[in-house]
């Protein structure tokens, strides 16, 4: 009996020693994590695109001295997966621009901060990222630049500015690449470039792109306030647009979602960490002759961190395809124009839909709402009745206008219906809500709302022929 007790005690001591050794070894390893060797590579690969000198982020990650005052905030944001910003649920879709850190990278940063955020040997630092100063798309065929500087003063709220360019294109142009370059990356948070086809150019209305003179119905639904369009408060209310013939849109899209209709074409976008819009050889996007390009520019003053007035002159550059492509990119706008969000409503559901009359291959998705937007889901209902979630953004953030680019195009057969479902928070609990005491409808102003599910897809270019000429 005594020998059994001695054996048990011995085994216990051995096990305790092994556990202590393992714990000590793990702790020792965590103690050895340094900025130069383990953490800087993560920052350089995932964060430096925005967190670098003279860019929009409040600090740079290129040196230990720049990072050191922010280590606690970095740990909190990384652990909560708020940084780098990525809002798509990983269960749905495989995206080439997925910005998420791996769990191992998150654990490394957390352990580094927890054990003192040591600098380490400067000789262990990897080479600093090399950022291109000029156009990333090479030498553009056409550049559109703001005609004058936009000045943003310190201590002012964020601003949304619309800039219009007349392309003067006498013929259709096929776009192989498009790039938006802010003149001042510290001020410009994001930019969305839209093409307004000539059918709509008589009365350009901004991000939605429809002409108010398109139909009498449109005139009874929209009104203009200066250069901005808004839906009348007494217009018909249809929150469940997916169960209407037009899917919730005022205008019925052209057959197959052709970009010759009254809807704007989403040309390109700029956001921190996002590259230019470039298509592979044989694939291009069309800008119809006579179109205009509108930039929606979000200027941010860093919530009071700007201490003196600064200026910006943003530009957009285009590279033309050498010949009409085999496959053309079509941007489809799936909106609900008729929704109304009651004052105080914390979870208002709004839907929109569109049915394809041809087979298409999806390239990307881009949800768009304003400051009351909570979440958005893209679903496909196939001809056989199967329903599949394509994209789910459970926490939409208006400050990050993300385009979710698919790793591999998703083929949808003819007859597939896309259903967009969004929820809005118009309550006082929403800290971004401009005014929870008023009902809200569609409108260009940021204080109004929008509900758009954009997507790009490719189809064969029926306009291509042996004698077709390049742009």
């Amino acid at each position: 009996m005594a020998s059994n007790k001695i054996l048990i005690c011995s085994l216990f001591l051995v096990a305790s020693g092994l556990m202590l050794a393992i714990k000590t070894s793990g702790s020792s390893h965590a103690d050895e994590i340094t900025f130069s060797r383990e953490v800087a590579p993560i920052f350089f690969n995932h964060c430096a695109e925005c967190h670098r000198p003279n860019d929009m982020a409040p600090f740079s990650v290129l040196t230990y001295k720049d990072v050191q005052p922010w280590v606690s905030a970095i740990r909190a944001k990384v652990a909560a997966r708020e940084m780098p910003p990525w809002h798509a649920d990983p269960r749905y879709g495989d995206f080439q621009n997925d910005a998420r850190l791996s769990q191992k990278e998150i654990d490394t940063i957390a352990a580094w901060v927890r054990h003192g955020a040591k600098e380490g040997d400067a000789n262990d630092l990897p080479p600093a990222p090399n950022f291109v100063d000029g156009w990333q798309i090479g030498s553009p065929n056409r550049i559109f630049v703001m005609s004058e500087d936009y000045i943003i003063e310190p201590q002012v709220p964020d601003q949304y500015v619309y800039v219009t360019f007349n392309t003067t294109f006498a013929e259709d142009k096929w776009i192989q690449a498009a790039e938006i370059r802010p003149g001042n990356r510290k001020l410009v948070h994001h930019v969305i470039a839209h093409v307004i086809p000539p059918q709509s150019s008589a009365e350009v209305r901004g991000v939605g792109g429809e002409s108010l003179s398109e139909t009498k119905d449109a005139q009874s639904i929209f009104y203009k306030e200066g250069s901005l369009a808004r839906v009348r408060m007494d217009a018909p209310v249809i929150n469940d647009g997916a169960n209407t013939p037009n899917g919730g849109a005022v205008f019925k899209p052209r057959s197959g979602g052709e970009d010759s209709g009254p809807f704007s074409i989403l040309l390109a976008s700029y956001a921190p960490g996002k590259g230019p819009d470039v298509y592979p050889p044989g694939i291009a996007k069309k800008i119809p002759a006579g179109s205009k390009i509108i930039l929606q520019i979000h200027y941010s003053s860093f919530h009071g961190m700007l201490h003196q007035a600064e200026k910006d002159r943003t530009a957009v550059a285009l590279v033309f395809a050498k010949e009409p492509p085999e496959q053309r990119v079509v941007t489809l706008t799936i909106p609900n124009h008729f929704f109304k969000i009651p004052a105080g409503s914390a979870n208002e559901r709004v839907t929109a839909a569109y049915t394809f009359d041809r087979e298409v291959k999806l390239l990307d998705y881009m949800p768009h709402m304003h400051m009351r937007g909570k979440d958005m889901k893209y679903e496909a209902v196939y001809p056989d009745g199967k329903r599949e979630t394509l994209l789910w953004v459970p926490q939409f953030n208006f400050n990050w206008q993300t385009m979710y680019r698919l790793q591999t195009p998703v083929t949808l057969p003819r007859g597939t219906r896309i259903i967009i479902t969004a929820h809005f928070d118009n309550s006082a609990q929403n800290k971004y809500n401009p005014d929870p005491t008023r009902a809200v409808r569609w409108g260009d102003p940021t204080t109004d709302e929008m509900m758009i599910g954009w997507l790009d897809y490719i189809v064969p270019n029926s306009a291509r022929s042996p004698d077709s000429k390049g742009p």
Side-chain angles (χ1 to χ4, degrees):
M1 189 73 173
S3 61
N4 288 340
K5 288 182 177 180
I6 293 172
L7 178 61
I8 291 171
C9 288
S10 299
L11 291 172
F12 176 77
L13 289 173
V14 170
S16 298
L18 287 171
M19 291 175 65
L20 180 61
I22 293 170
K23 185 176 180 180
T24 302
S25 174
S27 176
S28 175
H29 175 69
D31 287 341
E32 295 172 358
I33 295 176
T34 67
F35 171 82
S36 297
R37 188 175 58 238
E38 287 87 5
V39 176
I42 300 173
F43 287 170
F44 288 5
N45 289 332
H46 298 282
C47 312
E49 178 68 28
C50 305
H51 288 266
R52 53 176 162 139
N54 299 315
D55 212 297
M56 68 151 297
F59 63 94
S60 170
V61 296
L62 297 183
T63 70
Y64 177 78
K65 181 180 178 181
D66 291 331
V67 168
Q68 206 278 330
W70 299 89
V71 294
S72 295
I74 290 171
R75 178 186 177 185
K77 292 290 186 181
V78 166
R81 289 192 177 274
E82 294 180 26
M83 286 287 164
W86 183 258
H87 303 99
D89 189 313
R91 293 176 297 173
Y92 309 107
D94 184 15
F95 302 102
Q96 58 180 270
N97 59 327
D98 190 335
R100 293 175 300 151
L101 297 180
S102 69
Q103 190 58 53
K104 181 180 179 181
E105 290 169 326
I106 293 173
D107 293 342
T108 297
I109 294 171
W112 171 64
V113 176
R114 188 168 60 248
H115 290 277
K118 298 174 183 176
E119 179 178 9
D121 188 343
N123 292 324
D124 292 333
L125 271 174
N130 183 27
F131 298 107
V132 178
D133 289 330
W135 294 105
Q136 298 179 54
I137 57 176
S139 179
N141 294 105
R142 187 71 182 271
I143 300 173
F144 299 94
V145 187
M146 292 168 61
S147 60
E148 59 185 30
D149 292 336
Y150 184 83
I151 308 297
I152 184 168
E153 301 288 345
Q155 310 299 323
V156 298
D158 285 12
Q159 299 174 51
Y160 288 80
V161 175
Y162 292 88
V163 178
T164 301
F165 300 113
N166 290 310
T167 65
T168 67
F169 292 157
E171 57 185 5
D172 296 345
K173 297 292 185 181
W174 292 101
I175 307 304
Q176 193 73 58
E179 180 180 351
I180 299 170
R181 189 169 70 182
N184 189 329
R185 291 171 63 97
K186 290 191 298 181
L187 296 181
V188 178
H189 182 274
H190 76 261
V191 185
I192 303 176
H194 300 267
V195 172
I196 308 301
Q199 293 92 328
S200 299
S201 61
E203 293 188 54
V204 175
R205 53 170 303 273
V207 72
E210 297 83 354
S211 165
L212 301 192
S213 61
E214 196 71 42
T215 65
K216 290 183 179 179
D217 287 341
Q219 293 177 12
S220 67
I221 293 166
F222 288 102
Y223 70 97
K224 298 201 74 172
E225 192 173 84
S227 63
L228 303 176
R230 308 176 72 183
V231 165
R232 301 179 187 279
M233 196 56 69
D234 61 353
V237 176
I238 306 172
N239 280 13
D240 190 11
N243 283 319
T244 65
N246 284 5
V250 171
F251 310 99
K252 186 174 183 179
R254 300 294 196 265
S255 175
E258 298 292 348
D259 53 14
S260 59
F263 294 99
S264 66
I265 302 165
L266 181 60
L267 174 64
S269 61
Y270 162 83
K274 176 188 175 294
D277 295 84
V278 181
Y279 301 107
I283 299 177
K285 179 175 285 188
K286 186 174 75 173
I287 296 183
S291 295
K292 295 181 180 180
I293 294 176
I294 289 186
L295 302 186
Q296 179 208 63
I297 307 176
H298 173 191
Y299 288 107
S300 174
S301 60
F302 296 118
H303 306 288
M305 294 180 66
L306 189 67
H307 301 298
Q308 63 183 17
E310 294 206 31
K311 59 186 179 181
D312 168 68
R313 192 174 290 204
T314 289
V316 56
L318 307 175
V319 171
F320 301 152
K322 292 184 172 136
E323 60 181 3
E326 296 176 1
Q327 302 280 330
R328 71 193 211 97
V329 181
V330 179
T331 297
L332 179 63
T333 305
I334 307 178
N336 183 326
H337 294 115
F338 292 95
F339 67 83
K340 184 176 184 179
I341 308 170
S345 177
N347 198 42
E348 195 69 22
R349 180 176 179 270
V350 178
T351 69
Y354 178 81
T355 301
F356 287 102
D357 66 357
R358 66 166 86 181
E359 179 181 284
V360 300
K361 292 183 179 180
L362 303 183
L363 296 179
D364 53 58
Y365 318 114
M366 187 171 174
H368 183 74
M369 297 180 283
H370 288 178
M371 292 183 285
R372 298 170 182 85
K374 286 181 65 176
D375 58 65
M376 186 175 284
K377 181 181 290 187
Y378 286 54
E379 295 176 287
V381 180
Y382 296 97
D384 62 3
K386 176 187 174 184
R387 189 162 181 152
E388 178 185 11
T389 298
L390 303 174
L391 173 73
W392 167 224
V393 179
Q395 292 182 314
F396 179 83
N397 188 325
F398 179 57
N399 289 321
W400 300 101
Q401 297 291 324
T402 305
M403 177 178 283
Y404 299 93
R405 300 180 180 277
L406 287 159
Q407 192 79 267
T408 304
V410 171
T411 300
L412 300 182
R414 178 180 178 179
T416 300
R417 186 169 177 79
I418 298 292
I419 296 178
I420 310 292
T421 303
H423 291 87
F424 294 86
D425 183 356
N426 195 23
S427 73
Q429 282 67 47
N430 177 3
K431 64 181 181 180
Y432 302 109
N433 192 350
D435 185 358
T437 65
R438 74 177 183 92
V440 183
R441 306 216 65 169
W442 172 287
D444 285 334
T446 305
T447 51
D448 286 354
E449 267 304 332
M450 284 192 176
M451 191 278 200
I452 302 174
W454 275 304
L455 59 84
D456 280 333
Y457 64 84
I458 54 175
V459 292
N461 182 16
S462 58
R464 181 182 170 92
S465 63
D467 60 348
S468 294
K469 297 179 179 180

